[in-house]
Amino acid sequence: DQQVKQNSPSLSVQEGRISILNCDYTNSMFDYFLWYKKYPAEGPTFLISISSIKDKNEDGRFTVFLNKSAKHLSLHIVPSQPGDSAVYFCAARRFGNEKLTFGTGTRLTIIP
Amino acid sequence: DARVTQTPRHKVTEMGQEVTMRCQPILGHNTVFWYRQTMMQGLELLAYFRNRAPLDDSGMPKDRFSAEMPDATLATLKIQPSEPRDSAVYFCASGSGQGFYGYTFGSGTRLTVV
């Protein structure tokens, strides 16, 4: 039972354009969402997060949007840079629970 | 630069052998997680500890996997006996509080069981 889904295994975007990565979840008890970035042969690194009381959170070139009614979140990267090429994981957590449930990841390739 | 250290980085073993993976969490972090990365499931939670006490190991095959924290500086994940389907990358992560800034992952142990 995949409670966090990333339906696009891969995405290619031209350098300088916007990258949009999507994530859907099924568990309405999730109240905190995170994005992680992973380079080959390294562990995932935390990128940005959002609480369910918000619908948007920005950090530099990265913005996460949350649509609770649709159980959908997205990560926007503007402008995309070659160093953004990596696998991006969406993760979710229930209130009061430290466990993170991850999606299967989306491989983003930025084309120079 | 605080980091989570995992050893070994790579392990190739024969089916039926015991495998032990080790993790040194960041000093002061009181929550430790073991995740497994597979192509089909992404990152699956195997077990986690808070203040060295196991809180949830429901993601682990109980008959062959075991996880322990002998002390605050060491977490171990053992597989006995190992099987080819255990081949994956195993990550350890540590954190403190509710992880509002995410947890810190190690670089992983790539396990291949032949």
Side-chain angles (χ1 to χ4, degrees):
Chain A
D1 176 24
Q2 197 73 28
Q3 297 185 63
V4 178
K5 301 177 184 178
Q6 294 177 257
N7 293 318
S8 299
S10 63
L11 176 68
S12 294
V13 174
Q14 213 61 40
E15 181 180 356
R17 305 293 291 267
I18 183 171
S19 296
I20 300 176
L21 295 97
N22 294 304
C23 177
D24 297 295
Y25 62 96
T26 57
N27 191 335
S28 57
M29 300 297 288
F30 288 144
D31 74 330
Y32 196 73
F33 304 90
L34 306 92
W35 284 94
Y36 280 79
K37 176 179 178 179
K38 184 184 179 306
Y39 291 120
E42 295 182 12
T45 55
F46 170 72
L47 190 57
I48 192 170
S49 62
I50 188 167
S51 163
S52 60
I53 62 173
K54 295 185 175 182
D55 54 19
K56 177 182 174 181
N57 188 28
E58 272 183 272
D59 184 1
R61 296 186 298 113
F62 302 91
T63 303
V64 56
F65 294 93
L66 175 63
N67 182 333
K68 288 190 294 292
S69 61
K71 295 192 178 67
H72 177 83
L73 64 155
S74 60
L75 174 68
H76 293 210
I77 306 173
V78 183
S80 300
Q81 299 175 353
D84 297 329
S85 294
V87 176
Y88 289 79
F89 289 97
C90 170
R93 198 189 67 210
R94 292 176 58 172
F95 176 76
N97 193 319
E98 294 158 306
K99 295 193 300 186
L100 292 180
T101 300
F102 283 85
T104 51
T106 296
R107 181 178 301 278
L108 175 65
T109 301
I110 305 302
I111 304 164
Chain B
D1 184 23
R3 60 179 64 188
V4 174
T5 302
Q6 288 187 247
T7 56
R9 288 296 308 272
H10 303 274
K11 176 72 176 179
V12 179
T13 191
E14 291 186 348
M15 182 174 62
Q17 296 297 305
E18 178 178 300
V19 175
T20 298
M21 290 169 269
R22 294 177 173 81
C23 168
Q24 181 176 358
I26 291 173
L27 192 64
H29 281 186
N30 64 344
T31 309
V32 175
F33 302 84
W34 282 105
Y35 280 90
R36 174 170 64 182
Q37 183 185 9
T38 63
M39 291 300 293
M40 295 302 295
Q41 299 293 328
L43 285 162
E44 305 173 84
L45 178 67
L46 297 175
Y48 87 100
F49 297 80
R50 190 194 306 137
N51 297 323
R52 296 177 54 204
L55 289 190
D56 188 337
D57 61 1
S58 58
M60 284 201 315
K62 300 290 190 303
D63 55 339
R64 299 184 301 108
F65 285 58
S66 62
E68 295 180 343
M69 277 201 77
D71 61 61
T73 65
L74 177 65
T76 62
L77 180 66
K78 290 186 181 181
I79 308 174
Q80 168 63 21
S82 57
E83 297 181 0
R85 59 179 167 154
D86 301 328
S87 297
V89 182
Y90 292 80
F91 289 102
C92 174
S94 72
S96 58
Q98 289 292 304
F100 287 109
Y101 300 101
Y103 299 117
T104 303
F105 279 77
S107 297
T109 294
R110 179 175 293 277
L111 174 65
T112 303
V113 183
V114 298

